[in-house]
Amino acid sequence: MSPIFRRKAATAPQDRLVTLVRKPGCHLCDDAQVVIEKVCGDLGVSWEQKDITEDKELHDKYWEQIPVVLVDGRQHTFWRVNEDRLRKALTE
């Protein structure tokens, strides 16, 4: 079968990683964390948080978009996290 017709193999939710890029004292970051904890807890997905005040590269890249959510290292969203959209991204 030609590679053009092959679908990318789905990744099981348990094999995914969600990263919350945040900063201290950010109420939107706190709101995002609540959604991430719920969705990742429901699906068994690992998640981590990174503080932009401790990482110059993240600071330079995402300062104006905090909070930023990455799924498997790729930007998924910023500012507000939609529970349904995150759930869909992790299960498709």
Side-chain angles (χ1 to χ4, degrees):
M1 179 183 242
S2 169
I4 197 166
F5 295 108
R6 288 189 195 141
R7 283 188 161 173
K8 182 181 172 190
T11 303
Q14 300 80 6
D15 297 330
R16 313 299 295 267
L17 175 64
V18 174
T19 304
L20 172 60
V21 181
R22 62 172 302 152
K23 67 177 184 173
C26 168
H27 72 280
L28 290 177
C29 299
D30 295 338
D31 294 346
Q33 183 172 333
V34 169
V35 175
I36 291 168
E37 286 176 343
K38 180 179 186 326
V39 172
C40 289
D42 289 349
L43 299 175
V45 174
S46 297
W47 74 277
E48 65 183 358
Q49 52 185 323
K50 295 192 176 185
D51 182 342
I52 63 164
T53 65
E54 297 176 0
D55 186 316
K56 182 172 174 18
E57 182 180 339
L58 290 175
H59 180 276
D60 292 348
K61 188 170 185 178
Y62 297 121
W63 175 250
E64 294 181 0
Q65 297 178 340
I66 293 301
V68 175
V69 177
L70 309 175
V71 174
D72 299 330
R74 301 174 100 179
Q75 187 169 344
H76 169 73
T77 194
F78 61 97
W79 293 339
R80 302 264 184 209
V81 182
N82 179 283
E83 181 179 336
D84 293 333
R85 184 170 176 259
L86 179 58
R87 189 177 301 277
K88 184 177 179 180
L90 294 171
T91 56
E92 288 188 345

